[in-house]
Coordinates of all heavy atoms in Angstrom, one line a residue:
M14 N 75.7 126.8 159.6 CA 75.4 125.6 158.8 C 75.2 124.4 159.7 O 76.0 124.2 160.6 CB 76.5 125.4 157.8 CG 76.3 124.2 156.9 SD 77.5 124.3 155.5 CE 76.9 122.9 154.6
T15 N 74.3 123.6 159.4 CA 74.0 122.4 160.3 C 74.6 121.2 159.6 O 74.8 121.1 158.4 CB 72.6 122.2 160.5 OG1 71.9 122.0 159.3 CG2 71.9 123.4 161.2
A16 N 74.9 120.2 160.5 CA 75.5 118.9 159.9 C 74.3 118.2 159.2 O 73.2 118.3 159.5 CB 75.9 118.1 161.1
P17 N 74.7 117.5 158.1 CA 73.7 116.8 157.4 C 73.1 115.7 158.3 O 73.7 115.0 159.0 CB 74.5 116.2 156.2 CG 75.9 116.3 156.5 CD 76.0 117.4 157.6
S18 N 71.8 115.5 158.1 CA 71.1 114.5 158.8 C 71.3 113.2 158.1 O 71.4 113.1 156.9 CB 69.6 114.8 158.8 OG 68.8 113.7 159.1
P19 N 71.3 112.1 158.9 CA 71.4 110.8 158.2 C 70.2 110.5 157.3 O 70.3 109.6 156.4 CB 71.5 109.8 159.4 CG 71.1 110.5 160.6 CD 71.3 112.0 160.3
H20 N 69.1 111.2 157.5 CA 67.9 111.1 156.7 C 68.0 111.8 155.4 O 67.2 111.5 154.5 CB 66.7 111.5 157.4 CG 66.5 110.7 158.7 ND1 66.2 109.4 158.8 CD2 66.7 111.2 160.0 CE1 66.1 109.0 160.1 NE2 66.4 110.0 160.8
D21 N 69.0 112.7 155.2 CA 69.1 113.4 154.0 C 69.5 112.6 152.8 O 69.2 112.9 151.6 CB 70.2 114.5 154.1 CG 69.7 115.6 155.1 OD1 68.5 115.7 155.3 OD2 70.5 116.4 155.5
A22 N 70.1 111.5 153.0 CA 70.5 110.6 151.9 C 69.4 109.8 151.3 O 69.5 109.2 150.3 CB 71.6 109.6 152.4
G23 N 68.2 109.8 152.0 CA 67.1 109.1 151.4 C 67.1 107.7 151.9 O 68.0 107.2 152.6
P24 N 66.1 106.9 151.5 CA 66.1 105.5 151.9 C 67.3 104.7 151.3 O 67.7 104.9 150.1 CB 64.8 105.0 151.3 CG 64.2 106.0 150.4 CD 65.0 107.3 150.6
R25 N 67.8 103.8 152.1 CA 68.9 103.0 151.6 C 68.4 101.8 150.8 O 67.5 101.2 151.2 CB 69.7 102.4 152.8 CG 70.6 103.5 153.4 CD 71.5 103.0 154.5 NE 70.7 102.6 155.6 CZ 71.1 102.0 156.7 NH1 72.4 101.6 156.8 NH2 70.3 101.7 157.7
P26 N 69.1 101.6 149.7 CA 68.7 100.4 148.8 C 69.0 99.1 149.5 O 70.0 99.0 150.3 CB 69.4 100.6 147.5 CG 70.6 101.4 147.9 CD 70.2 102.3 149.1
L27 N 68.3 98.1 149.2 CA 68.6 96.7 149.7 C 68.1 95.7 148.6 O 67.3 96.0 147.8 CB 68.0 96.5 151.0 CG 66.4 96.6 151.2 CD1 65.8 95.3 150.8 CD2 66.1 97.0 152.6
T28 N 68.6 94.5 148.8 CA 68.3 93.4 147.9 C 68.0 92.2 148.7 O 68.7 91.9 149.6 CB 69.4 93.2 146.9 OG1 69.8 94.3 146.2 CG2 69.1 92.1 145.9
I29 N 66.9 91.5 148.3 CA 66.5 90.2 148.8 C 66.5 89.2 147.7 O 66.4 89.7 146.5 CB 65.2 90.2 149.6 CG1 64.0 90.6 148.7 CG2 65.3 91.3 150.8 CD1 62.6 90.4 149.4
T30 N 66.4 88.0 148.0 CA 66.1 87.0 146.9 C 64.9 86.2 147.3 O 64.6 85.9 148.5 CB 67.3 86.0 146.8 OG1 67.6 85.3 148.0 CG2 68.6 86.7 146.3
L31 N 64.1 85.9 146.3 CA 63.0 84.9 146.5 C 63.3 83.7 145.6 O 63.3 83.9 144.4 CB 61.7 85.6 146.1 CG 60.5 84.7 146.1 CD1 60.1 84.3 147.6 CD2 59.3 85.4 145.5
D32 N 63.5 82.6 146.2 CA 63.8 81.4 145.5 C 65.0 81.6 144.5 O 65.0 81.2 143.4 CB 62.6 80.8 144.7 CG 61.5 80.4 145.7 OD1 61.8 80.0 146.8 OD2 60.4 80.4 145.2
G33 N 66.0 82.5 145.0 CA 67.2 82.7 144.2 C 67.1 83.9 143.3 O 68.1 84.4 142.8
E34 N 65.9 84.4 143.1 CA 65.7 85.6 142.2 C 65.9 86.9 143.0 O 65.2 87.0 144.0 CB 64.3 85.5 141.5 CG 64.1 86.7 140.6 CD 62.7 86.6 140.0 OE1 62.0 85.6 140.2 OE2 62.3 87.6 139.3
P35 N 66.7 87.8 142.5 CA 66.9 89.0 143.3 C 65.8 90.0 143.1 O 65.3 90.1 142.0 CB 68.3 89.6 142.8 CG 68.4 89.0 141.4 CD 67.6 87.7 141.4
F36 N 65.5 90.7 144.2 CA 64.5 91.8 144.1 C 65.1 93.0 144.9 O 65.6 92.9 146.0 CB 63.2 91.4 144.8 CG 62.4 90.4 144.1 CD1 62.7 89.0 144.2 CD2 61.4 90.8 143.2 CE1 62.0 88.1 143.5 CE2 60.7 89.8 142.5 CZ 60.9 88.5 142.7
A37 N 65.0 94.2 144.2 CA 65.5 95.4 144.8 C 64.4 96.2 145.5 O 63.2 96.1 145.1 CB 66.1 96.3 143.7
G38 N 64.8 96.8 146.6 CA 63.9 97.7 147.3 C 64.6 98.7 148.1 O 65.8 98.9 147.9
T39 N 63.9 99.3 149.1 CA 64.6 100.3 150.0 C 64.2 99.9 151.4 O 63.2 99.3 151.7 CB 64.1 101.7 149.6 OG1 62.7 101.7 149.8 CG2 64.5 102.1 148.3
Q40 N 65.1 100.4 152.3 CA 64.9 100.2 153.7 C 63.6 100.6 154.2 O 63.1 101.7 153.8 CB 66.0 100.9 154.5 CG 66.1 100.5 156.0 CD 67.2 101.3 156.7 OE1 67.6 102.3 156.2 NE2 67.6 100.7 157.7
G41 N 62.9 99.8 154.9 CA 61.6 100.2 155.4 C 60.5 99.4 154.7 O 59.4 99.3 155.3
Q42 N 60.7 98.9 153.5 CA 59.7 98.2 152.8 C 59.5 96.8 153.5 O 60.5 96.2 154.0 CB 60.1 97.9 151.4 CG 59.8 99.1 150.5 CD 60.1 98.8 149.0 OE1 61.2 98.5 148.6 NE2 59.0 98.8 148.2
T43 N 58.3 96.3 153.4 CA 58.1 94.9 153.8 C 58.5 94.0 152.7 O 58.6 94.4 151.5 CB 56.6 94.6 154.1 OG1 55.8 94.8 153.0 CG2 56.1 95.5 155.3
I44 N 58.7 92.7 153.0 CA 59.0 91.7 151.9 C 57.8 91.7 150.9 O 58.1 91.8 149.7 CB 59.2 90.4 152.5 CG1 60.5 90.3 153.3 CG2 59.2 89.3 151.4 CD1 60.8 89.1 154.1
A45 N 56.6 91.7 151.4 CA 55.5 91.7 150.4 C 55.5 93.0 149.6 O 55.2 93.0 148.4 CB 54.1 91.6 151.2
G46 N 55.8 94.2 150.2 CA 55.8 95.4 149.5 C 56.9 95.4 148.4 O 56.6 95.9 147.2
M47 N 58.0 94.8 148.7 CA 59.1 94.7 147.6 C 58.6 93.8 146.5 O 58.8 94.1 145.3 CB 60.3 94.1 148.2 CG 61.1 95.1 149.1 SD 62.6 94.4 149.8 CE 63.5 94.2 148.2
L48 N 58.0 92.7 146.8 CA 57.5 91.7 145.8 C 56.4 92.3 144.9 O 56.4 92.2 143.7 CB 57.1 90.4 146.4 CG 58.2 89.6 147.1 CD1 57.7 88.4 147.8 CD2 59.3 89.3 146.2
L49 N 55.5 93.0 145.6 CA 54.4 93.6 144.8 C 54.9 94.7 143.9 O 54.4 94.9 142.8 CB 53.3 94.2 145.8 CG 52.5 93.1 146.5 CD1 51.6 93.8 147.6 CD2 51.6 92.3 145.6
A50 N 55.9 95.5 144.4 CA 56.5 96.6 143.6 C 57.1 96.0 142.3 O 57.2 96.7 141.3 CB 57.5 97.4 144.4
A51 N 57.6 94.7 142.4 CA 58.2 94.1 141.3 C 57.1 93.3 140.5 O 57.5 92.5 139.6 CB 59.3 93.2 141.8
R52 N 55.9 93.6 140.8 CA 54.7 92.9 140.1 C 54.6 91.4 140.3 O 54.0 90.7 139.5 CB 54.8 93.3 138.6 CG 54.7 94.7 138.3 CD 54.5 95.0 136.8 NE 54.5 96.4 136.6 CZ 53.5 97.3 136.8 NH1 52.4 96.7 137.2 NH2 53.6 98.5 136.5
R53 N 55.2 91.0 141.4 CA 55.0 89.6 141.8 C 53.8 89.5 142.7 O 53.7 90.2 143.7 CB 56.2 89.1 142.6 CG 56.2 87.7 143.1 CD 56.5 86.8 141.9 NE 56.5 85.4 142.4 CZ 57.5 84.6 142.4 NH1 58.7 85.0 142.1 NH2 57.4 83.4 142.9
R54 N 52.8 88.7 142.2 CA 51.5 88.7 142.9 C 51.3 87.5 143.9 O 50.5 87.5 144.7 CB 50.4 88.7 141.9 CG 50.5 89.8 140.9 CD 50.1 91.2 141.5 NE 48.7 91.3 141.8 CZ 47.9 91.9 141.1 NH1 48.3 92.5 140.0 NH2 46.6 92.0 141.5
A55 N 52.1 86.4 143.6 CA 51.9 85.2 144.4 C 53.2 84.6 144.8 O 54.2 84.7 144.0 CB 51.0 84.2 143.7
W56 N 53.3 84.0 146.0 CA 54.6 83.4 146.4 C 54.3 82.2 147.3 O 55.2 81.8 148.1 CB 55.6 84.4 147.0 CG 54.9 85.3 148.1 CD1 54.8 85.0 149.4 CD2 54.4 86.6 147.9 NE1 54.2 86.0 150.0 CE2 53.9 87.0 149.1 CE3 54.3 87.4 146.8 CZ2 53.4 88.3 149.3 CZ3 53.8 88.7 146.9 CH2 53.3 89.1 148.2
R57 N 53.2 81.8 147.4 CA 52.8 80.6 148.2 C 51.7 79.9 147.5 O 51.0 80.5 146.7 CB 52.3 81.1 149.6 CG 52.0 80.0 150.6 CD 51.5 80.5 151.9 NE 50.2 80.9 151.9 CZ 49.1 80.1 152.0 NH1 49.3 78.8 152.2 NH2 47.9 80.6 152.0
T58 N 51.5 78.6 147.8 CA 50.4 77.8 147.3 C 49.6 77.2 148.4 O 50.2 76.9 149.5 CB 50.8 76.8 146.3 OG1 51.8 75.9 146.9 CG2 51.4 77.4 145.0
T59 N 48.3 77.1 148.2 CA 47.5 76.5 149.3 C 47.8 75.0 149.5 O 48.2 74.4 148.6 CB 46.0 76.7 149.0 OG1 45.7 76.1 147.8 CG2 45.7 78.2 148.9
S60 N 47.4 74.5 150.7 CA 47.7 73.2 151.0 C 47.0 72.1 150.2 O 47.5 71.1 149.8 CB 47.4 72.9 152.5 OG 48.2 73.8 153.3
V61 N 45.7 72.4 149.9 CA 44.9 71.4 149.2 C 44.9 71.5 147.7 O 45.3 70.6 147.0 CB 43.4 71.4 149.8 CG1 42.5 70.5 149.0 CG2 43.4 71.2 151.3
A62 N 44.6 72.7 147.2 CA 44.5 72.9 145.8 C 45.7 73.4 145.1 O 45.8 73.6 143.9 CB 43.3 73.8 145.5
A63 N 46.7 73.8 145.9 CA 48.0 74.4 145.4 C 47.7 75.6 144.6 O 48.3 76.0 143.6 CB 48.8 73.4 144.5
A64 N 46.6 76.4 145.1 CA 46.3 77.7 144.4 C 47.3 78.8 144.9 O 47.7 78.8 146.0 CB 44.8 78.1 144.8
P65 N 47.6 79.7 143.9 CA 48.6 80.7 144.3 C 48.0 81.7 145.3 O 46.9 82.1 145.2 CB 48.9 81.3 142.9 CG 47.7 81.1 142.1 CD 47.1 79.8 142.6
R66 N 48.9 82.1 146.2 CA 48.5 83.2 147.2 C 49.7 84.2 147.3 O 50.8 83.8 147.2 CB 48.2 82.5 148.5 CG 47.0 81.6 148.6 CD 45.7 82.5 148.5 NE 44.6 81.7 148.7 CZ 43.9 81.1 147.7 NH1 44.3 81.3 146.4 NH2 42.8 80.5 147.9
G67 N 49.3 85.4 147.7 CA 50.2 86.4 148.0 C 49.7 87.2 149.1 O 49.5 86.7 150.2
V68 N 49.4 88.5 148.9 CA 48.8 89.4 149.9 C 47.3 89.3 149.8 O 46.7 89.5 148.7 CB 49.3 90.8 149.8 CG1 48.5 91.7 150.6 CG2 50.8 90.9 150.2
F69 N 46.6 89.1 150.9 CA 45.2 89.2 150.9 C 44.8 90.4 151.8 O 44.2 91.4 151.3 CB 44.5 87.9 151.3 CG 43.0 88.0 151.3 CD1 42.3 88.1 150.1 CD2 42.3 88.0 152.5 CE1 40.9 88.2 150.1 CE2 40.9 88.1 152.5 CZ 40.2 88.1 151.3
C70 N 45.1 90.3 153.1 CA 44.7 91.4 154.0 C 45.7 92.4 154.1 O 45.4 93.6 154.2 CB 44.4 90.8 155.4 SG 45.9 90.2 156.3
G71 N 47.0 92.1 154.0 CA 48.0 93.1 154.1 C 48.3 93.6 155.5 O 49.1 94.5 155.7
I72 N 47.7 93.0 156.5 CA 47.8 93.6 157.9 C 48.1 92.5 158.9 O 47.9 92.6 160.1 CB 46.6 94.4 158.3 CG1 45.3 93.5 158.2 CG2 46.5 95.7 157.5 CD1 44.1 94.2 158.8
G73 N 48.5 91.3 158.4 CA 48.9 90.2 159.3 C 47.8 89.4 159.9 O 48.1 88.6 160.9
V74 N 46.7 89.4 159.3 CA 45.5 88.6 159.9 C 45.3 87.3 159.1 O 45.0 86.3 159.8 CB 44.3 89.5 159.8 CG1 43.1 88.7 160.3 CG2 44.4 90.7 160.7
C75 N 45.4 87.2 157.8 CA 45.0 86.1 157.1 C 46.0 85.0 156.9 O 45.7 83.9 156.6 CB 44.5 86.6 155.7 SG 45.8 87.0 154.6
F76 N 47.3 85.3 157.0 CA 48.4 84.3 156.8 C 48.5 83.8 155.4 O 49.1 82.8 155.2 CB 48.3 83.2 157.8 CG 48.5 83.6 159.2 CD1 47.6 84.3 160.0 CD2 49.7 83.3 159.8 CE1 47.8 84.7 161.3 CE2 50.0 83.7 161.2 CZ 49.0 84.4 161.9
D77 N 47.9 84.5 154.4 CA 48.0 84.1 153.0 C 49.4 84.3 152.5 O 49.8 83.7 151.5 CB 47.1 84.9 152.2 CG 45.8 84.0 151.8 OD1 45.7 82.9 152.3 OD2 45.0 84.5 151.0
C78 N 50.2 85.2 153.1 CA 51.5 85.6 152.5 C 52.7 84.9 153.1 O 53.8 85.4 153.0 CB 51.6 87.1 152.8 SG 51.7 87.6 154.5
L79 N 52.5 83.8 153.7 CA 53.6 83.1 154.4 C 54.8 82.8 153.5 O 54.6 82.3 152.4 CB 53.1 81.8 155.1 CG 52.1 82.0 156.3 CD1 51.7 80.7 156.8 CD2 52.6 82.9 157.3
V80 N 56.0 83.0 154.1 CA 57.2 82.6 153.4 C 58.2 82.1 154.4 O 58.0 82.3 155.6 CB 57.8 83.8 152.6 CG1 57.0 84.2 151.4 CG2 58.0 85.0 153.5
T81 N 59.3 81.5 153.9 CA 60.4 81.2 154.8 C 61.5 82.3 154.6 O 61.8 82.6 153.4 CB 60.9 79.8 154.4 OG1 59.9 78.8 154.6 CG2 62.2 79.5 155.2
V82 N 62.0 82.9 155.7 CA 63.0 83.9 155.6 C 64.2 83.5 156.4 O 64.1 83.2 157.6 CB 62.4 85.3 156.1 CG1 63.5 86.4 156.0 CG2 61.2 85.7 155.4
N83 N 65.3 83.4 155.7 CA 66.6 83.0 156.3 C 66.4 81.7 157.1 O 66.9 81.6 158.2 CB 67.1 84.1 157.2 CG 67.3 85.4 156.4 OD1 67.7 85.4 155.2 ND2 67.1 86.5 157.0
G84 N 65.6 80.8 156.6 CA 65.4 79.5 157.2 C 64.2 79.4 158.2 O 63.9 78.4 158.7
A85 N 63.7 80.6 158.6 CA 62.6 80.6 159.5 C 61.2 80.5 158.8 O 61.0 81.4 157.9 CB 62.6 81.9 160.4
R86 N 60.5 79.5 159.0 CA 59.2 79.2 158.3 C 58.1 80.1 158.8 O 58.1 80.7 160.0 CB 58.8 77.8 158.4 CG 59.8 76.8 157.8 CD 59.3 75.4 158.0 NE 57.9 75.2 157.7 CZ 57.4 75.1 156.5 NH1 58.2 75.1 155.4 NH2 56.1 74.9 156.3
D87 N 57.0 80.2 158.0 CA 55.8 80.9 158.4 C 55.9 82.3 158.8 O 55.3 82.8 159.8 CB 55.1 80.0 159.5 CG 54.8 78.6 159.1 OD1 54.6 78.4 157.9 OD2 54.8 77.7 160.0
V88 N 56.7 83.0 158.1 CA 56.9 84.5 158.3 C 55.9 85.2 157.4 O 55.7 84.9 156.2 CB 58.3 85.0 157.9 CG1 58.5 86.5 158.0 CG2 59.4 84.2 158.8
R89 N 55.1 86.1 158.0 CA 54.2 86.9 157.2 C 54.9 88.0 156.5 O 55.4 88.9 157.1 CB 53.1 87.5 158.1 CG 52.1 86.4 158.6 CD 51.2 86.9 159.7 NE 52.0 87.0 161.0 CZ 51.5 87.4 162.1 NH1 50.3 87.8 162.2 NH2 52.2 87.5 163.2
A90 N 54.9 87.8 155.2 CA 55.6 88.8 154.3 C 55.1 90.2 154.4 O 55.8 91.2 154.1 CB 55.6 88.3 152.8
C91 N 53.8 90.3 154.7 CA 53.2 91.7 154.8 C 53.6 92.4 156.0 O 53.4 93.7 156.1 CB 51.7 91.6 154.7 SG 50.9 90.9 156.2
L92 N 54.1 91.7 157.0 CA 54.6 92.4 158.3 C 56.1 92.5 158.4 O 56.6 93.4 159.1 CB 54.0 91.6 159.5 CG 52.6 91.5 159.6 CD1 52.2 90.8 160.9 CD2 51.9 92.9 159.7
R93 N 56.8 91.6 157.8 CA 58.3 91.5 158.0 C 59.0 92.6 157.1 O 58.9 92.5 155.9 CB 58.7 90.1 157.6 CG 60.2 89.9 157.5 CD 61.0 90.0 158.9 NE 62.2 89.2 158.9 CZ 63.2 89.5 158.2 NH1 63.3 90.5 157.4 NH2 64.3 88.7 158.4
R94 N 59.7 93.5 157.8 CA 60.5 94.5 157.0 C 61.6 93.7 156.4 O 62.3 93.0 157.1 CB 60.9 95.6 157.9 CG 59.8 96.5 158.3 CD 60.3 97.8 158.9 NE 59.2 98.5 159.5 CZ 58.4 99.4 158.8 NH1 58.6 99.5 157.5 NH2 57.5 100.0 159.5
A95 N 61.9 94.0 155.2 CA 63.0 93.4 154.5 C 64.3 93.9 155.0 O 64.5 95.1 155.4 CB 62.9 93.6 153.0
A96 N 65.3 93.0 155.1 CA 66.7 93.4 155.4 C 67.6 93.0 154.3 O 67.3 92.0 153.6 CB 67.1 92.7 156.7
D97 N 68.6 93.8 154.0 CA 69.5 93.5 152.9 C 70.0 92.1 153.1 O 70.6 91.7 154.1 CB 70.6 94.6 152.9 CG 71.4 94.5 151.6 OD1 70.7 94.3 150.6 OD2 72.6 94.8 151.6
G98 N 69.9 91.3 152.0 CA 70.5 90.0 152.0 C 69.5 88.9 152.4 O 69.9 87.7 152.5
D99 N 68.3 89.3 152.8 CA 67.3 88.3 153.2 C 67.2 87.2 152.1 O 67.0 87.5 150.9 CB 66.0 88.9 153.5 CG 65.8 89.4 154.9 OD1 66.7 89.1 155.8 OD2 64.8 90.1 155.2
V100 N 67.2 85.9 152.6 CA 66.9 84.8 151.6 C 65.5 84.3 151.9 O 65.2 83.8 152.9 CB 68.0 83.7 151.8 CG1 67.6 82.5 151.0 CG2 69.4 84.2 151.6
V101 N 64.6 84.6 150.9 CA 63.2 84.3 151.1 C 62.9 83.1 150.1 O 63.4 83.1 149.0 CB 62.4 85.5 150.7 CG1 60.9 85.2 150.9 CG2 62.8 86.7 151.5
E102 N 62.1 82.2 150.7 CA 61.7 81.0 149.9 C 60.2 80.9 150.0 O 59.6 81.1 151.0 CB 62.4 79.8 150.5 CG 63.9 79.8 150.5 CD 64.5 78.7 151.3 OE1 64.7 77.6 150.8 OE2 64.8 79.0 152.5
T103 N 59.6 80.5 148.9 CA 58.2 80.2 148.8 C 57.9 79.0 149.7 O 58.8 78.1 149.9 CB 57.7 80.0 147.4 OG1 58.5 78.9 146.8 CG2 57.9 81.2 146.6
Q104 N 56.6 78.8 150.1 CA 56.2 77.7 150.9 C 55.1 77.0 150.2 O 54.2 77.6 149.7 CB 55.8 78.2 152.3 CG 56.9 78.6 153.2 CD 56.4 78.8 154.6 OE1 57.1 79.5 155.4 NE2 55.3 78.2 155.0
H105 N 55.1 75.7 150.2 CA 53.9 74.9 149.9 C 53.9 73.7 150.8 O 54.9 72.9 150.8 CB 54.0 74.4 148.4 CG 52.8 73.5 148.1 ND1 51.5 73.9 148.1 CD2 52.8 72.2 147.9 CE1 50.7 72.9 147.8 NE2 51.5 71.8 147.7
D106 N 52.9 73.5 151.6 CA 52.8 72.5 152.5 C 51.6 71.7 152.3 O 50.5 72.0 152.9 CB 52.8 73.1 153.9 CG 54.0 73.9 154.3 OD1 55.1 73.4 154.0 OD2 53.9 75.0 154.7
P107 N 51.6 70.7 151.4 CA 50.4 69.8 151.2 C 50.0 69.1 152.5 O 50.9 68.8 153.3 CB 50.9 68.9 150.1 CG 52.4 68.9 150.1 CD 52.8 70.2 150.7
L108 N 48.7 69.0 152.6 CA 48.2 68.2 153.8 C 48.7 66.8 153.7 O 48.8 66.3 152.6 CB 46.7 68.3 153.8 CG 46.1 69.7 154.1 CD1 44.6 69.6 154.0 CD2 46.5 70.2 155.4
P109 N 48.9 66.1 154.8 CA 49.3 64.7 154.7 C 48.3 63.9 153.9 O 47.0 64.1 154.1 CB 49.3 64.3 156.2 CG 49.4 65.6 157.0 CD 48.8 66.7 156.2
G110 N 48.7 63.2 153.0 CA 47.9 62.4 152.2 C 47.4 63.1 150.9 O 46.8 62.5 150.0
A111 N 47.6 64.4 150.8 CA 47.2 65.2 149.6 C 48.4 65.2 148.7 O 49.5 65.2 149.1 CB 46.8 66.6 150.0
S112 N 48.1 65.2 147.4 CA 49.1 65.3 146.4 C 49.6 66.7 146.3 O 48.9 67.6 146.5 CB 48.6 64.8 145.0 OG 47.6 65.6 144.6
A113 N 50.9 66.8 146.1 CA 51.6 68.2 146.0 C 51.3 68.9 144.7 O 51.0 68.5 143.7 CB 53.1 68.0 146.2
Ligands
LIG16 S1 48.5 89.3 153.7 FE1 47.3 88.6 155.4 S2 48.7 88.1 156.9 FE2 49.9 88.8 155.3

């Protein structure tokens, strides 16, 4: 008989918050993946028109998915693997002189 592999237990559950709202996921998911799995489609607004944005490219190229994670701004949610307890905040950065 062989010893059980640490992988036998399956993916470990984790929880993050987005603007205080909890989201459940599993180890290995990106922040964007967790939010999309919960049917959340947008978590940022554009600088000029305040239009909603979430994932566009999904591969780290477009920067549409930016969030603040544990106080660090401009994190691409499509690339950042979620860690249990991550505090994620939406971002809206109006251009200077533009109304919010
Ligand atoms: S969705 Fe394009 S960089 Fe994240």
Side-chain angles (χ1 to χ4, degrees):
M14 182 167 183
T15 60
S18 163
H20 302 291
D21 290 344
R25 284 187 290 174
L27 58 86
T28 303
I29 65 172
T30 59
L31 176 67
D32 295 335
E34 180 182 353
F36 288 86
T39 57
Q40 187 178 28
Q42 282 187 291
T43 62
I44 290 172
M47 289 181 66
L48 297 176
L49 290 173
R52 302 189 183 279
R53 180 75 181 250
R54 305 290 288 262
W56 49 83
R57 184 181 77 83
T58 54
T59 59
S60 297
V61 176
R66 293 290 186 267
V68 168
F69 182 68
C70 72
I72 57 173
V74 175
C75 73
F76 291 74
D77 259 7
C78 63
L79 295 180
V80 288
T81 297
V82 180
N83 303 326
R86 295 179 47 79
D87 301 332
V88 174
R89 287 171 285 179
C91 70
L92 296 182
R93 170 66 153 70
R94 289 195 191 276
D97 194 33
D99 274 346
V100 176
V101 183
E102 298 167 86
T103 54
Q104 287 190 201
H105 176 69
D106 302 310
L108 294 175
S112 58

